[in-house]
Every structure is written in structure tokens, then in C-alpha cells.
Amino acid sequence: ALRERFLRVLGAARGRGCRFSLRSGLTVRGEFAAADRELAALQVDSLRTPLGVEAAALLRGGDVVAFGFVLP
């Protein structure tokens, strides 16, 4: 049941603006696109970092402490 809920959350997050808290203490924003099966990598579009905006990026799952998004 928990796995199913987690997969539903990932599905709901797709295409939405998200905030990612990283292990380094940095918080970045972008549009959640996809995650691999083991959640080892997350694809984020329009990733806004202190150094600029990346059109598409992969975040390592181990570096992401939390991510959040707002549902309508």
C-alpha cells in the first residue's frame, strides 16, 4: 500500500513545479519530469539553481532529502 501511494505521488508531481531540498543544504526549484524505478535519479526540467537555469537535469536520489509540490 505504501509503494502504491508513493507511485501515485510521483505521478501527481509530474509536470508540476517542485522544490527539492538537497543533502548539501541547498534548495532548488524545477519542474518534476520523471524518476527511475529505484528512485536513484530524478529528471527535473527548468531546474533553477544559484548558478542559473538548466533546461533539463538529473538529480541523484541520494542527494535529495525531500521534495514538495502544491496540488490544486
Side-chain angles (χ1 to χ4, degrees), residues 8-30:
R8 288 182 188 269
V9 165
L10 290 180
R14 186 160 192 242
R16 298 193 184 276
C18 292
R19 183 179 62 225
F20 300 88
S21 298
L22 305 179
R23 185 176 303 274
S24 66
L26 187 66
T27 299
V28 294
R29 295 179 183 272

Side-chain angles (χ1 to χ4, degrees), residues 1 3 5 7-8 12 14-15 17-18 21 28 35 38 49 51 55 62 64 70:
R3 179 74 176 165
R5 287 182 192 167
L7 293 174
R8 288 182 188 269
R14 186 160 192 242
C18 292
S21 298
V28 294
E38 294 84 24
T49 72
L51 297 176
V64 177
V70 177

Side-chain angles (χ1 to χ4, degrees), residues 40-66:
L42 297 114
Q43 180 186 347
V44 181
D45 295 332
S46 302
L47 181 67
R48 292 182 296 280
T49 72
L51 297 176
V53 177
E54 291 293 325
L58 285 176
L59 297 178
R60 292 184 297 190
D63 290 340
V64 177
V65 176

